[in-house]
Amino acid sequence: MPVRFPPGFLWGTATAAYQIEGAAREDGRGPSVWDTFSRTPGRTRGGDTGDVAADHYHRRAEDVRLMAGLGVTAYRFSVSWPRVQPTGRGPAVQKGLDFYRALVDDLLEHGITPALTLYHWDLPQALEDAGGWPHRDTAERFADYAGVVADALGDRVPYWITLNEPWCSAFLGYGSGVHAPGRTDPVDALRAAHHLNLAHGLAATALRARLPAAARIGIALNTCAVRARTGSGADLDARRRIDALANRVFTGPLLHGAYPDDLLAGTARLTDWSFVRAGDEAAVRRDPLDWLGVNYYAPTIVSAAGGGPGSSADDGHGASDHSPWPGAEDVSFHQQPGERTDMGWGVDPTGLYDLLTRWSREAPGLPLMVTENGAAYPDRPSPAGGAVHDARRVRYLHGHLSELHRAMTEGGADVRGYFLWSLLDNFEWAYGYAKRFGIVHVDYATQTRTPKASAHWYARLARSGVLPDLPGA
Ligand code: FCB
């Protein structure tokens, strides 16, 4: 039986501003925390920065034509806040808005549906200097910024994503410090998580007030497929604790209007959560989500402290002396046995099935989209002819799309689209340019784009809605 997806299912690719745009100092753009962080010695691999990245700011039209040539029907991109508001507040820079308007117009002209992320980690440095996400005012500033972008592009963008992976912003940015701004205070990480939730809620209200009724507001969460290494009570408890800090700290207020009790209890030694003011939890879902975006790469396997051979404090997000898990620093993490990607992440498509069916059970009637999924491999153009044979990426995608389909058919999940991470090889945060996630290879010396075998494979899927067989299968 062919694996067939419903008509109208969105076949997208995804990117983020800082990872592809470059042009870091052009047209009035202000610095973001990622500019500062990546220019600080020792923070990114080899000192890589996003100054040039994939030069998308200057190659926008070519990149949209590339997507159109592949037959993709949707594109998830992010707006750089400091391109629009260089200090995170005040009047918009027209040239910054013009860039995104031109991008959206190009997409629409090619029949590609835009999905706009307002925040993919590039906080204006001036707001970090004023306290960053641990500081409540940042949430208010974000809502103002959301309004500015909605006024400029609301008439032509149907899908809106407030935040990308607030877990990373809060817990990697302010907990383990492996992401910008690189701070390491567990309470600041929790404060940041709350202010990100609040920022989402305030922005959703600002967007709702401005966008046409048909516009759909969502958020992209890297909800975590947490698995206990054994069925022991201690390991199951480790799973519950990580689930609270990875997932329910966001889905609690977003879907149910409250932080879970066990999260508050598990962090009580650190904070009384008095930074959550009366009415905040209601504000997070005053204008409830129209859809939920799920980013998935790999499962997370945990056990109680001292998890035995092969266990470590490293959960796959990058080594640090500081844990990104406030109150659960003792939990051990384990590698998925078997195949791994170039990030060292295990390959297990069933995690995607588990997440999609979980959220569909927990939020009945809420449409889902996979807003990121993909894999890094050290792809090189072949010496003869320059083609890139990324067979492992095709296998990875095939496996995950099979599970996505199964989640829709057997699992009853209402999934409306899939955004492959990523269109282009790009700046992979602290790993710099060393990790290649693109289905299109980028030669950074010349900025030449070469679609990999996975791009041709994905094009067949996007055109037919039928999962192509694996080559050679
Ligand atoms: C996600 C990020 C995205 C990209 C992928 C590999 O956590 O949202 O920007 O770096 O991981």
Side-chain angles (χ1 to χ4, degrees):
M1 281 294 279
V3 174
R4 187 181 295 281
F5 289 82
F9 189 87
L10 291 176
W11 293 109
T13 58
T15 63
Y18 190 69
Q19 295 180 274
I20 64 165
E21 285 180 0
R25 296 181 170 95
E26 277 174 56
D27 292 340
R29 178 184 175 281
S32 80
V33 292
W34 270 98
D35 293 290
T36 308
F37 188 77
S38 66
R39 290 171 194 161
T40 306
R43 290 305 207 169
T44 65
R45 180 206 152 265
D48 287 353
T49 73
D51 283 358
V52 178
D55 196 31
H56 170 74
Y57 192 72
H58 301 117
R59 289 163 200 267
R60 176 203 90 233
E62 172 192 348
D63 289 340
V64 174
R65 282 197 298 275
L66 185 62
M67 276 188 264
L70 296 176
V72 305
T73 57
Y75 178 50
R76 175 179 173 227
F77 64 96
S78 81
V79 172
S80 157
W81 185 353
R83 227 182 249 303
V84 171
Q85 288 181 310
T87 61
R89 61 181 87 228
V93 173
Q94 194 54 43
K95 282 197 170 164
L97 289 174
D98 288 348
F99 170 75
Y100 297 105
R101 178 175 287 249
L103 171 63
V104 167
D105 287 348
D106 282 354
L107 292 168
L108 294 173
E109 217 167 278
H110 286 91
I112 300 171
T113 300
L116 184 158
T117 306
L118 284 165
Y119 184 73
H120 202 123
W121 304 351
D122 42 2
L123 185 71
Q125 182 61 41
L127 293 185
E128 170 58 20
D129 296 342
W133 284 113
H135 182 53
R136 185 180 177 92
D137 182 60
T138 305
E140 310 269 356
R141 300 285 66 76
F142 180 69
D144 288 351
Y145 157 67
V148 167
V149 180
D151 285 340
L153 299 172
D155 59 339
R156 55 197 75 190
V157 173
Y159 293 102
W160 292 74
I161 296 152
T162 53
L163 303 173
N164 177 69
E165 300 191 352
W167 185 85
C168 295
S169 303
F171 295 98
L172 301 181
Y174 296 92
S176 70
V178 299
H179 277 190
R183 281 157 62 180
T184 53
D185 180 309
V187 178
D188 278 343
L190 295 168
R191 296 173 69 97
H194 174 59
H195 295 141
L196 284 152
N197 280 323
L198 184 62
H200 162 84
L202 299 178
T205 298
L207 292 174
R208 237 327 124 235
R210 288 170 173 83
L211 297 178
R216 289 285 161 263
I217 301 168
I219 187 169
L221 300 180
N222 55 323
T223 59
C224 187
V226 199
R227 293 171 176 174
R229 196 179 56 128
T230 74
S232 75
D235 287 357
L236 291 173
D237 197 53
R239 181 179 72 183
R240 177 193 58 73
R241 293 162 68 204
I242 295 300
D243 183 52
L245 287 161
N247 296 325
R248 292 180 286 115
V249 64
F250 299 107
T251 57
L254 282 166
L255 302 178
H256 309 298
Y259 287 104
D261 289 341
D262 68 322
L263 170 72
L264 306 184
T267 50
R269 174 170 67 71
L270 297 165
T271 173
D272 61 4
W273 289 71
S274 53
F275 47 82
V276 180
R277 297 195 191 155
D280 280 5
E281 287 157 301
V284 176
R285 62 188 295 278
R286 179 157 302 130
D287 290 272
L289 291 170
D290 296 318
W291 59 281
L292 175 65
V294 174
N295 294 359
Y296 174 76
Y297 293 91
T300 300
I301 301 162
V302 301
S303 69
S311 76
S312 76
D314 183 0
D315 57 17
H317 288 101
S320 167
D321 295 339
H322 301 269
S323 167
W325 304 104
E329 297 85 354
D330 56 307
V331 168
S332 293
F333 293 83
H334 301 262
Q335 282 284 357
Q336 167 94 5
E339 211 187 323
R340 300 204 196 142
T341 69
D342 198 27
M343 298 296 286
W345 297 342
V347 176
D348 188 346
T350 63
L352 183 58
Y353 178 94
D354 291 349
L355 288 178
L356 294 172
T357 51
R358 174 179 179 180
W359 304 125
S360 109
R361 276 193 309 272
E362 200 166 315
L366 185 67
L368 305 174
M369 295 226 243
V370 175
T371 32
E372 283 183 29
N373 175 240
Y377 290 108
D379 313 305
R380 267 184 222 96
S382 75
V388 185
H389 299 292
D390 57 339
R392 283 180 295 181
R393 181 173 292 101
V394 173
R395 263 207 316 278
Y396 179 99
L397 297 173
H398 185 279
H400 286 77
L401 284 157
S402 304
E403 284 298 289
L404 188 163
H405 188 266
R406 197 167 71 84
M408 294 172 73
T409 49
E410 288 174 28
D414 178 9
V415 188
R416 305 285 178 89
Y418 175 84
F419 292 85
L420 198 166
W421 186 273
S422 179
L423 173 67
L424 302 169
D425 289 338
N426 61 47
F427 175 80
E428 179 48 36
W429 308 113
Y431 297 92
Y433 296 98
K435 306 293 179 192
R436 293 181 175 272
F437 273 92
I439 54 171
V440 174
H441 181 271
V442 176
D443 176 339
Y444 293 111
T446 62
Q447 294 294 346
T448 304
R449 276 82 164 124
T450 306
K452 305 177 190 177
S454 56
H456 299 299
W457 181 87
Y458 192 58
R460 286 170 60 202
L461 170 59
R463 292 214 172 84
S464 65
V466 176
L467 193 64
D469 287 337
L470 283 176

